[in-house]
Amino acid sequence: MKYFQKDEQANITITTVTLRVQILKDKFSQSLGLPFKELLPSSVIEQALSELKIRYYRRLFDPIVTLWAFLSQVLDADKSCHNAVSKVIAYLAEIGVEIPSSDTSAYCQARSRLPEKFLETLFSQVGKSLEQKVEIEHLWCGRNVLVIDGSTVSMPDTPDNQSYYPQPSTQASGCGFPIAKIGVIFSLATGAAIALCIDVLNTHDIKLARNLYQFLNPLDILLGDRAFCAYADLVSIKNRNCDALFRKHQARKTTMRKGKIIGSSDKLVTWHKPKKCPHGLSKDEFNTLPSTITVREIYYYIVVPGFRTERVSLITTLLDTTAYSTLDIVGLYGKRWDVELDLRHLKTTLGMDILHCKTPSMVRKEIYVYLLAYNLLRGLMWSAGTSYTTPPLRLSLQGTRHHLNNFIPELLAATSTKRLQIYRTLLKVIAHKAVPDRPARNEPRVRKRRPKAYPLMTKPRHELRKQLQTA
């Protein structure tokens, strides 16, 4: 492709900055952008910039180049800004144009200029686009199921981060890291993240969930653990023409004598409005709650040799026993564990567990870019699975990331005709080996590898240095 062109009317050569920006956009679209062209084409990015009325100067790191560099940064094993800038320099050096400085300040400033709403919009748009690819055979009883859960992420110990996302109160000052609480809704069909909420560490999961209900669509089913099973939340979900399936909260006692039996280990029960306004609800919200709500309670037993038999009670608003049998609902709750795997993919596989940005606003942007990259990988897995008749959720996200990173140099070096052939090969390789299906897998939460026998930090580092100097 020829990058040096002339304007036929004004006979003015394209400036060096414009030339280099176009080179980088082409490079990213031919490599990292090619597998994601259906979910995140340049037109979607430009539309988001236009809708948010984002104006920017003509720079090397314009919003589109910065976004692609940010995405490649979180997908790479080396997540440093220096590595991201080095890639940009290498792309320009191949063409033979003037290369920028290897200093990372320009790129870091460009990242800070990206509006948080812009990244949130792209993340949401990609998740919705992937949801639109779901066919009826991928749904549960003809219904779309979303799974909700909460988790935490840590970040560098800077004064700004500490003031906005304080460390746990049990840790001494200067001995811990700032931690943010996140609530995420995932699609059970695609594994993609649909919605996100970020708050401080001591925020209860149910408060995060109430900020996420706005992202539910009519007839969705929300699946979650016992933390979300509250009277007001069941009412709120039903008011949105949706349904819920939660494990029964341990504070609510179970009695076998009440309720209408509708099947084996299955009954309809009436819950009454709490006498006092629960924490987190306003008086107006509490007053609008109905006096009663009918829910369906299903219970089953977990038998482990050598341990006391445990009874699990499920609460759902799916009252139709013909459309949703007892076994169907129990089987659906068994898939709630998928959200734990999705969060593990985000935090462990992609490395979102420990963030690198030093200000609260950049921390939130980094989280959105991680979720955007995660959804793009899910979209690539969906394309590979549907193209080669392999269940997309059975494919390895880590393997997909490895194959993508290894194929990018080949995509860059290929011609336009050869590039599509390499892309189809990439899909075939991703779908080649599915992860084994291991239902009801149970593993203890223990560590085999022993950490180094260093004591925990109980004083700030500068005090410990003084102790070493005076010792």
Side-chain angles (χ1 to χ4, degrees), residues 240-290:
R240 296 177 180 274
N241 196 24
C242 299
D243 286 294
L245 172 59
F246 302 137
R247 184 172 177 179
K248 191 175 185 178
H249 196 276
Q250 65 273 14
R252 186 177 288 272
K253 295 182 180 180
T254 300
T255 173
M256 303 297 296
R257 295 187 298 272
K258 294 183 179 180
K260 177 183 177 182
I261 297 176
I262 56 177
S264 178
S265 303
D266 195 346
K267 61 181 181 179
L268 296 178
V269 295
T270 300
W271 282 12
H272 295 272
K273 180 179 177 180
K275 296 181 180 179
K276 297 182 179 179
C277 180
H279 181 71
L281 284 183
S282 66
K283 285 291 184 180
D284 292 337
E285 291 173 332
F286 179 71
N287 292 334
T288 58
L289 295 178

Side-chain angles (χ1 to χ4, degrees), residues 5 7 74 77 94 140 320 339 362 364 389 392 404 409 456 463:
Q5 301 174 352
D7 190 305
V74 301
E94 182 185 357
W140 180 82
D320 189 345
V339 73
M362 282 304 303
R364 292 190 293 272
T389 63
L404 174 64
L456 296 176
E463 294 184 12

